Structure formats: C-alpha cells, structure tokens
C-alpha cells in the first residue's frame, strides 16, 4: 500500500479535524506498527491526543468499528495516492508508477531506519474468516486496485489487462514489505521494483510505446 505514515493535512491538534478523525488516523498508524491485537483503544486515544471518554462516544461498536474505519481510511488513502504518483512521473510508464509506490516505503526506511507494515495487510493477517473486518479489508484492496488499474490504462495498458496487473503490483508490493520487515532492510522492495518493472512496461500497447531510439 501507499505508505500512510504522513498525517493528512489538517489532522493535527487544533485543526478543523476533531477527535474522531484523529483516532481513525492514529489507529491506522498503530496497526501498521504493532498489528491489530497489540493496538488498544486507549493507545489510540493517547496517540491521537483525544479524551478517553470519546472512544465510546465515537465508536459505540468498540475496537472492531475503529479497526474497520482505520482500514477503510487506509484503502482510500492508497487509492488517492495513485493519482498523485501518476501526476508526478517524470517518465509516464507502468514501471515508473510502481517504482513510485515502492519509493514510499524505501523513503520511510531511509528517513527513520524503521519499516512499518501496511494496515490493510495487517488486518488481513489477523482478521477472522468472517465479520466486518474481513469485508472491510476486501473493500480496501478494491478501493486501491481500481484507481491503479485506471492509471495503468492511462499509461497505455489495455483496459482488459489493467486490473490483473494492478493486482500483481499490489500483491508484489505487499509481499515485499513483509519480507523487508523480516530482513530489516529494503532489499526485497528494490528487487521487486527492478524485476517487475520491465514486465509491466511490456504490457503497454504498441501504439502507446515511445519510439525506439
């Protein structure tokens, strides 16, 4: 997933965003760091700088509701980031788009020396086979995959193939994040960007490819 570590504009203390929005954001950050089981409601309130008493008020469904909303937010964040990545490409190509997605995680590691996980992936691992969290996770991945497929189509990938490649990109990124966290470095991320890039570019329709030099 696009790295949701950066605080969305306006979610800081004293902003127009209230305790509820800050707690959803904080839940996503704690889940990506510690996982669902280790993320407590009081931890979320403390991270968000919100009164403890607001937990029951804003999340009457308890932790499950808060996790649902944090996962949904993370999926929406990732989907929105696709357009920003696409707009910022110096060379419009699927490989460059994937490299930008991977770069969110390698940049975090270089800046902090720490590589946190993806809240959607963490919820996938820990959620039960049923329940609202599993459905929310599936919806979050779809929310990410759909704009990614649209971006690939804009870059010249045939529309019939773009959704499959979007799934491949997301699953490759998520797997590389898991391996990178296990190894304590970004080598799996840089490897997957390097190796998958040419395959993605080869999917571009001939009439969209730049002329050979």
């Amino acid at each position: 997933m696009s790295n949701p570590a950066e605080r969305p504009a306006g979610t800081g203390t004293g902003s127009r965003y209230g305790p509820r929005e800050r707690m959803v954001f904080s839940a996503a950050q704690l889940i990506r760091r510690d996982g669902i089981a280790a993320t407590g409601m009081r931890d979320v309130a403390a991270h968000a700088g919100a009164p403890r008493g607001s937990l029951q008020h804003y999340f009457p469904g308890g932790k499950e509701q808060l996790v649902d909303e944090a996962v949904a937010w993370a999926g929406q964040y990732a989907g929105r980031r696709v357009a920003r990545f696409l707009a910022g490409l110096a060379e419009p190509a699927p490989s460059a788009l994937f490299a930008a997605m991977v770069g969110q995680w390698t940049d975090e590691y270089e800046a902090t020396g720490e590589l946190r996980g993806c809240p959607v992936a963490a919820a996938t691992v820990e959620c039960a086979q049923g329940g609202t969290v599993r459905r929310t996770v599936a919806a979050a991945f779809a929310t990410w995959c759909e704009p990614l497929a649209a971006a690939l189509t804009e870059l010249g990938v045939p529309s019939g193939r773009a959704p499959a490649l979007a799934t491949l990109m997301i699953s490759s990124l998520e797997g590389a994040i898991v391996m990178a966290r296990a190894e304590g470095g970004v080598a799996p991320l840089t490897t997957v960007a390097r190796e998958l890039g040419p395959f993605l570019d080869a999917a571009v329709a001939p009439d969209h490819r730049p002329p050979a030099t």
Side-chain angles (χ1 to χ4, degrees), residues 1-212:
M1 144 168 303
S2 297
N3 186 337
E6 64 186 41
R7 183 176 294 274
T11 55
T13 302
S15 74
R16 65 185 179 88
Y17 287 88
R20 190 180 196 286
E21 290 80 4
R22 296 202 307 273
M23 283 191 284
V24 170
F25 172 81
S26 291
Q29 306 317 303
L30 294 178
I31 289 170
R32 68 186 294 260
R33 186 188 72 188
D34 303 324
I36 291 176
T39 297
M41 295 284 278
R42 291 185 177 182
D43 298 327
V44 172
H47 186 277
R52 288 184 182 179
S54 63
L55 289 167
Q56 183 62 33
H57 174 72
Y58 291 114
F59 304 100
K63 183 174 178 179
E64 183 175 16
Q65 180 186 353
L66 179 57
V67 169
D68 277 347
E69 295 196 23
V71 170
W73 173 84
Q76 293 162 5
Y77 176 89
R80 291 192 301 268
R81 290 290 290 176
V82 171
R84 293 176 61 182
F85 289 142
L86 185 62
L89 296 181
E91 298 181 4
S95 61
L97 177 59
F98 188 57
M101 293 168 60
V102 171
Q104 287 286 286
W105 301 91
T106 57
D107 289 349
E108 178 186 40
Y109 182 79
E110 291 172 1
T112 67
E114 181 181 11
L115 189 65
R116 298 184 179 187
C118 163
V120 180
T124 303
V125 172
E126 295 188 44
C127 72
Q129 291 299 311
T132 62
V133 174
R134 188 196 63 78
R135 292 191 293 271
T136 303
V137 166
F141 277 123
T143 300
W144 185 11
C145 193
E146 290 171 7
L148 183 54
L152 289 171
T153 301
E154 186 173 338
L155 291 170
V157 175
S159 60
R161 194 176 181 195
L165 289 186
T167 298
L168 176 62
M169 291 166 71
I170 292 171
S171 59
S172 297
L173 175 59
E174 293 287 7
I177 291 169
V178 172
M179 293 181 67
R181 295 191 79 195
E183 294 181 10
V186 297
L189 287 159
T190 56
T191 296
V192 77
R194 182 182 66 246
E195 296 298 326
L196 192 59
F199 178 80
L200 296 172
D201 287 346
V204 174
D207 58 345
H208 281 80
R209 294 176 188 171

